[in-house]
């Protein structure tokens, strides 16, 4: 693997182009093992009320994925308005000692968890002014993707398909358009279900892939995490290698000369 | 006096600070962030911020999420 093909985000370089979530695991130990197997360096977390009175001696998520070892990417999951998302980002920044990197997601609908792009744009405007480095979850609408980039998001993260659906990359053509016009990293976020989905995203030219359910809800999450690591690497190498063209008719691989029959 | 913490009403002593509250909630050694009446109170101000009647607080932490 070419050591200089790094992912640059907010002034840092990352070897791994696989970003992972920490939700839906059986327990913290499985979370830890899966993240390690994935090779991910950027890990998302959610910000929620502490359970008061319950948890003095329980290990904490950030004990298992310490901020000095991983780049923590707090998300605004569950937010349906710009205001909720902005509050969450401010709390996340305080929680992580001034860390400015956030994953902005503002949802429209509980059934589809589709992004509310109007509220996302509103939140982006406020958060950019407050100095956040925003990696923004959005639809695969190329116009919105470019607008979010122009407003100052450091990465744009269009969905491959609905969050948690495992349907893979349902609109590769939109993703290609988004990527052709982008000057910031485009990271597919949501909908990846299996290794080939991740490879397809990377072959299209994405800068990275973010996934959670694909790993956490596999029969064997740690093994799937390993598969995803390889899939993202394989897809990236394919992209850099430049695939052969598709053709309608055959071209033989063995020479015609020298036949003895 | 009565305040609201994470959506629940609580009684605490007058002139309690945020630090006092965090001790009461047993979250002192946990990584948390505090919002008071929808404004962030940085860690550095926890011992100097005195709570008042009807203050609304959110005490949050990081958990698993995608």
């Amino acid at each position: 693997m070419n050591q200089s093909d790094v992912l640059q985000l907010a002034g840092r370089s990352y070897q791994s182009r696989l970003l992972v979530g920490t939700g839906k695991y059986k327990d913290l130990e499985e979370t830890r093992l899966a993240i390690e197997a994935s090779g991910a360096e950027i890990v998302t977390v959610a910000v929620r009320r502490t359970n008061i009175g319950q948890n003095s001696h329980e290990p904490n998520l950030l004990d298992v994925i310490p901020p000095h070892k991983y780049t923590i990417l707090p998300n605004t999951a569950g937010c349906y308005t710009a205001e909720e998302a902005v509050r969450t980002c401010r709390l996340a920044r305080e929680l992580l000692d001034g860390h400015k990197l956030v994953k902005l997601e503002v949802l429209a609908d509980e059934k589809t968890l589709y992004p509310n792009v109007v509220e996302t744009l509103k939140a982006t405007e406020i958060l950019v002014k407050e100095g956040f480095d925003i990696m923004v979850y959005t639809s695969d609408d190329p116009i919105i993707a470019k607008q979010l980039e122009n407003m100052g998001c450091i990465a744009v993260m269009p969905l491959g398909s609905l969050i948690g659906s495992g349907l893979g990359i349902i609109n590769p053509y939109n993703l290609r358009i988004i990527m052709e016009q982008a000057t910031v990293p485009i990271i597919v976020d949501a909908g990846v279900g299996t290794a080939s989905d991740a490879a397809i995203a990377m072959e299209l030219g994405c800068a990275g892939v973010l996934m959670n359910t694909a790993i956490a809800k596999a029969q064997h999450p740690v093994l799937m995490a390993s598969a995803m690591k390889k899939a993202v690497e394989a897809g990236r190498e394919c992209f850099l290698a430049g695939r052969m063209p598709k053709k309608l008719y055959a071209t033989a691989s063995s020479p015609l000369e020298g036949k003895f029959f | 006096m009565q305040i609201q913490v994470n959506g629940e009403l609580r009684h605490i002593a007058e002139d309690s600070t945020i630090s006092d509250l965090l001790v009461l909630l047993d979250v002192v050694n946990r990584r948390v962030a505090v919002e008071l009446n929808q404004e962030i109170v940085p860690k550095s101000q926890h011992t100097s911020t005195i709570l008042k009647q009807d203050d609304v607080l959110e005490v949050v932490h990081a958990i698993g999420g995608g």
Side-chain angles (χ1 to χ4, degrees), chain A residues 128-139:
Chain A
V128 165
K129 281 204 192 94
E130 293 188 11
F132 285 92
D133 292 326
I134 306 165
M135 297 174 63
V136 61
Y137 167 67
T138 181
S139 64

Side-chain angles (χ1 to χ4, degrees), chain B residues 9-62:
Chain B
L9 294 174
R10 273 189 179 260
H11 287 280
I12 57 166
E14 296 274 336
D15 298 327
S16 292
T17 63
I18 287 182
S19 294
D20 295 332
L21 176 65
L22 297 182
V23 169
L24 204 64
L25 300 178
D26 201 15
V27 295
V28 172
N29 293 318
R30 319 286 287 177
R31 189 188 273 267
V32 296
V34 177
E35 193 198 61
L36 169 60
N37 301 330
Q38 301 212 358
E39 303 247 338
I40 307 288
V41 182
K43 225 162 38 178
S44 57
Q45 292 172 26
H46 285 183
T47 45
S48 57
T49 305
I50 299 175
L51 299 170
K52 301 181 324 293
Q53 171 73 28
D54 298 328
D55 272 346
V56 176
L57 289 116
E58 298 293 343
V59 181
V60 302
H61 66 163

Side-chain angles (χ1 to χ4, degrees), chain A residues 46 48-49 56 75 87 94, chain B residues 26 35 43 58 61 63 66:
Chain A
R48 292 286 182 264
R49 287 173 168 169
S56 237
N75 69 26
R87 270 177 79 191
E94 165 62 16
Chain B
D26 201 15
E35 193 198 61
K43 225 162 38 178
E58 298 293 343
H61 66 163
I63 61 160

Side-chain angles (χ1 to χ4, degrees), chain A residues 214-237:
Chain A
I215 297 175
K217 287 302 187 183
Q219 309 270 0
H220 302 287
V222 178
L223 187 56
M224 184 59 86
S226 165
M228 290 301 185
K229 174 176 194 275
K230 292 168 183 156
V232 169
E233 286 172 2
R236 181 63 180 175
E237 285 188 350

